[in-house]
Amino acid sequence: MGPWWALWLIVTLLQTLEGQTPTTPRGFSQMTSFESKQFQGEWFVLGLAGNTYKREHRALLNSFITLFELKNNSQFQVTNSMTRGKRCNTWSYTLTPTTKPGKFTVDNGEPGPGADKEDMQVIETDYTKFALVLSLRQTSSQTVTRVSLLGRSWRLPHKIIDKLICLTRTQNLTKNNFIFPDVTGNGAGSGWIPLFGHWVKTPVSEGQPSQEHLRRAWEVHCEYGW
């Protein structure tokens, strides 16, 4: 192996490794500060996109809520709650902040040096309505990309869908890679979702857009603007 080939290989590997951690995508401003106290609390998961998601996965994702609990050491304890029929399944992980605002390392509690490495970056948020989150998890065979759209309620401004589409484009995701949780027909009935072990009525019954409306809005965007 000649010296120039070795140099090329080193540079290529460095670029590959750098590409496996979340960076600010084109079209989004670099986050200069992150207010953990404002970000904590409950978020509805309004949409997901990822390179491991396929169309057939859409039927598997039910209503989905995430709780960010800020600890004294500045870590977030994150608890997820999702319906499975009439049951409410929960799982959790820990987010440890890095020196970059809004960026965290993810600890899923998997022991050992062979555990997957995962980083999460809050790309954009106004803390009161929405948040766009990019997660990259490195497995032994691939980099798993996931984009999450979080909302404080089920109401979603139209322009936020545009932001979500822009972010997924920067990650080379297509309309076949997105899924929206279905909040209808679960558990106690249409319009009911689990709130960490308790069934509560959603704002859908109050005239706010349902997940079907969000799904259709996305598909219209994809059909005419992808």
Side-chain angles (χ1 to χ4, degrees):
M1 179 183 293
W4 288 108
W5 174 261
L7 178 60
W8 174 86
L9 179 60
I10 292 173
V11 171
T12 301
L13 287 174
L14 288 174
Q15 291 175 339
T16 301
L17 290 174
E18 289 175 354
Q20 293 171 354
T21 59
T23 57
T24 303
R26 285 183 305 171
F28 292 86
S29 301
Q30 178 75 42
M31 185 171 286
T32 58
S33 64
F34 181 77
E35 303 298 333
S36 297
K37 291 184 178 180
Q38 295 184 42
F39 192 81
Q40 66 180 334
E42 291 178 351
W43 290 90
F44 296 96
V45 180
L46 302 180
L48 294 171
N51 59 351
T52 60
Y53 296 148
K54 299 179 181 179
R55 284 183 177 271
E56 54 265 32
H57 295 153
R58 297 179 184 180
L60 303 177
L61 190 63
N62 295 331
S63 52
F64 190 10
I65 298 174
T66 298
L67 174 66
F68 290 82
E69 295 181 276
L70 185 61
K71 301 301 182 180
N72 292 334
N73 57 2
S74 298
Q75 292 181 330
F76 276 118
Q77 180 69 27
V78 184
T79 303
N80 301 285
S81 177
M82 180 186 292
T83 56
R84 290 296 184 190
K86 292 186 178 182
R87 294 181 302 159
C88 180
N89 292 349
T90 62
W91 67 99
S92 61
Y93 51 87
T94 301
L95 296 180
T96 301
T98 67
T99 56
K100 183 178 179 180
K103 183 179 179 181
F104 302 85
T105 58
V106 181
D107 181 6
N108 291 301
E110 299 177 0
D116 295 344
K117 181 180 183 296
E118 183 172 358
D119 294 302
M120 190 198 86
Q121 174 72 53
V122 179
I123 300 299
E124 185 174 341
T125 182
D126 63 356
Y127 302 101
T128 61
K129 294 184 179 66
F130 83 98
L132 286 171
V133 179
L134 173 63
S135 299
L136 296 179
R137 177 166 58 89
Q138 183 60 44
T139 71
S140 58
S141 59
Q142 66 173 330
T143 299
V144 178
T145 302
R146 185 177 69 254
V147 175
S148 304
L149 173 60
L150 309 180
R152 292 296 191 184
S153 70
W154 296 112
R155 184 182 297 277
L156 186 67
H158 194 273
K159 64 181 180 180
I160 303 305
I161 295 183
D162 293 332
K163 291 178 179 290
L164 176 61
I165 293 175
C166 288
L167 180 54
T168 56
R169 282 174 173 171
T170 66
Q171 303 304 310
N172 297 319
L173 301 176
T174 72
K175 61 183 180 181
N176 295 323
N177 296 129
F178 75 86
I179 51 179
F180 286 104
D182 187 3
V183 299
T184 62
N186 288 318
S190 178
W192 291 82
I193 61 172
L195 190 56
F196 299 99
H198 301 280
W199 290 97
V200 297
K201 194 72 172 177
T202 70
V204 171
S205 62
E206 301 172 6
Q208 295 188 7
S210 67
Q211 292 302 91
E212 179 60 33
H213 294 151
L214 300 180
R215 184 184 298 108
R216 180 53 188 157
W218 173 285
E219 291 176 346
V220 168
H221 273 281
C222 294
E223 182 177 356
Y224 293 103
W226 202 285

